Amino acid sequence: MEHTWRKERKNLVHNARVKAYPDGSQQLLCCDLPIFHATGWEPSRDKKRPPKAADMQKKPAQNKEDPKDQNQGNLERTMRRARAQVRDLALCTPFRYFVTLTLDRAKVNRYDMAAITRKLNRWLDNQVRRKGLVYVLVPERHKDGAIHFHGFFNEALDVVDSGTITHKSLRKPRKPRNAAQRTQWLQDGGQVVYNLPGWTLGFTTAIQLHGDYRKAVSYVCKYIGKDGTKIGGRWYYSGGKLGRPQVDYLDADFRELEKDARAYRFDLKQARRSFVLLEIKASVPYNCSEYMQLCKNFMAKCEKAGVTLHKKVPDRPPSPPPIEEMCEQLMLALPGEKRRCLSYDEA
């Protein structure tokens, strides 16, 4: 007798996955076969049931793939997955600074990733516990093989003005000649470059995030696998109270979706699967860091004016709408004749 908690596979597995982000945007990934299922479910196998006759038949021999091509395919697949994970973490966490961490050869061997990881993890864990640091870091090799890191930090750590400023006319940050030039560069959109005095293993730069937050996220994601290798066995480092997108699953018509002008189709030959990616942008996009800064400024003004807040200001960006509402938004974003290809399954 079948247990009551077992469900048919068709009710558990779907061919589309929806991710919702705090800025109101959504990402729809649709496969040509149902492969997505919610966490917590595992395939049911009855050990007492004898194998079917069809399963006992010897399968015809297939052309074996070159091991080199197979390894390269696996590497590219894990690289894409790591980039997607970093993207999700960054888009759902109110980061404040884009940081670069370099290493002092007098304090650590910059070419030994094992030695670097031991000291890096110790420093990061200490900052998370004591200061509330939230971070995502991606390792990169210099041309000479030395390791450094790029990524995002929240506002937990102290920063000091380095005296240098970025400017559109400069390849690298530079110190202005005088106060007038500094003011002019800042008015032209230049950004102050800060240092992190708490970083004890070398040198740092930190630039406050501004403008298009998604471009900054994409910029950091490009460092993952930049030289085609996984440095030290890890694509990235992350920690602290990180946010994650709201994820749900639905059924969609793959053939109809790939006809949409905004959709991007790609094929995974090794897995023999095809996918369609559809991005739905937020109607009123906002920067998570700017949102959190507005909240802090508002609280500071209230405190200065002696005003008591009766409602707590949120400690993170507003949560995305319920999945049912997001699916409706996805359907409305499609042309009228294609809306019927999306259907939300509440089972």
Side-chain angles (χ1 to χ4, degrees):
M1 182 177 67
E2 187 176 14
H3 293 294
T4 56
W5 60 78
R6 291 182 182 175
K7 292 186 178 181
E8 294 183 5
R9 177 178 173 83
K10 64 180 181 180
N11 293 330
L12 295 177
V13 184
H14 305 278
N15 75 324
R17 181 189 66 198
V18 179
K19 289 184 179 181
Y21 299 94
D23 64 357
S25 62
Q26 299 110 27
Q27 180 193 81
L28 173 66
L29 181 64
C30 181
C31 182
D32 58 347
L33 290 175
I35 61 171
F36 300 109
H37 59 85
T39 58
W41 293 95
E42 296 181 358
S44 175
R45 296 182 178 89
D46 192 341
K47 296 181 179 180
K48 296 181 180 180
R49 181 180 300 174
K52 296 181 180 179
D55 297 334
M56 298 293 292
Q57 296 178 0
K58 187 177 180 181
K59 295 182 179 180
Q62 298 179 353
N63 294 329
K64 293 185 178 181
E65 188 178 2
D66 189 336
K68 293 183 179 179
D69 294 338
Q70 186 175 6
N71 292 336
Q72 182 63 27
N74 293 335
L75 181 66
E76 293 175 354
R77 192 178 304 113
T78 58
M79 189 188 309
R80 286 194 299 268
R81 188 179 297 116
R83 287 174 177 170
Q85 291 170 348
V86 169
R87 179 178 180 272
D88 286 350
L89 294 175
L91 291 179
C92 297
T93 306
F95 287 117
R96 183 72 180 279
Y97 296 101
F98 168 74
V99 300
T100 299
L101 309 179
T102 58
L103 301 163
D104 185 351
R105 66 181 65 190
K107 298 181 179 180
V108 62
N109 185 349
R110 301 184 300 169
Y111 306 92
D112 185 351
M113 196 60 197
I116 295 171
T117 301
R118 285 194 297 270
K119 293 193 174 185
L120 175 67
N121 285 339
R122 189 181 304 119
W123 184 86
L124 290 172
D125 291 343
N126 185 54
Q127 300 305 311
V128 170
R129 287 186 287 103
R130 294 190 176 187
K131 300 290 185 66
L133 175 67
V134 184
Y135 66 91
V136 170
L137 290 173
V138 178
E140 184 192 15
R141 292 187 188 275
H142 285 291
K143 293 182 179 179
D144 64 351
I147 306 296
H148 64 285
F149 299 87
H150 299 285
F152 298 120
F153 279 3
N154 65 343
E155 69 283 356
L157 303 186
D158 295 332
V159 297
V160 295
D161 191 337
S162 68
T164 61
I165 295 178
T166 64
H167 192 264
K168 57 186 177 182
S169 64
L170 304 173
R171 293 185 58 185
K172 295 182 178 180
R174 199 176 71 183
K175 187 175 182 179
R177 292 191 299 270
N178 48 51
Q181 189 178 53
R182 176 186 173 90
T183 302
Q184 184 61 48
W185 283 1
L186 292 176
Q187 290 177 351
D188 292 342
Q191 295 294 314
V192 176
V193 178
Y194 298 96
N195 295 140
L196 302 171
W199 174 248
T200 58
L201 300 178
F203 313 97
T204 63
T205 62
I207 300 176
Q208 188 169 333
L209 291 167
H210 63 284
D212 191 337
Y213 185 74
R214 286 177 173 266
K215 285 186 178 179
V217 173
S218 298
Y219 180 77
V220 170
C221 289
K222 288 181 180 179
Y223 283 109
I224 297 178
K226 184 178 178 180
D227 59 355
T229 61
K230 184 188 292 187
I231 301 174
R234 296 180 63 174
W235 293 114
Y236 67 93
Y237 298 76
S238 62
K241 295 182 179 179
L242 292 159
R244 287 174 173 79
Q246 179 178 339
V247 181
D248 208 276
Y249 307 91
L250 50 86
D251 298 308
D253 189 320
F254 179 86
R255 299 303 176 188
E256 288 293 328
L257 279 176
E258 70 175 343
K259 296 177 183 177
D260 192 290
R262 299 164 300 169
Y264 168 69
R265 172 175 172 160
F266 59 96
D267 303 313
L268 299 182
K269 295 181 180 179
Q270 294 83 2
R272 297 180 181 178
R273 298 288 185 270
S274 297
F275 294 86
V276 169
L277 183 66
L278 182 62
E279 300 274 357
I280 306 298
K281 295 183 179 180
S283 56
V284 184
Y286 67 91
N287 186 303
C288 293
S289 298
E290 292 176 0
Y291 171 85
M292 298 307 300
Q293 187 60 40
L294 287 173
C295 288
K296 289 188 175 182
N297 293 342
F298 175 72
M299 294 175 66
K301 289 180 181 179
C302 290
E303 184 178 357
K304 186 176 181 181
V307 177
T308 303
L309 295 176
H310 297 285
K311 186 176 180 181
K312 183 180 178 182
V313 176
D315 56 359
R316 58 176 297 168
S319 59
I323 188 64
E324 296 91 340
E325 182 179 339
M326 290 189 317
C327 292
E328 290 179 2
Q329 294 176 7
L330 281 170
M331 286 189 283
L332 292 174
L334 294 172
E337 67 275 7
K338 297 180 182 178
R339 292 179 189 174
R340 62 180 181 277
C341 70
L342 281 176
S343 61
Y344 175 69
D345 186 0
E346 298 179 353

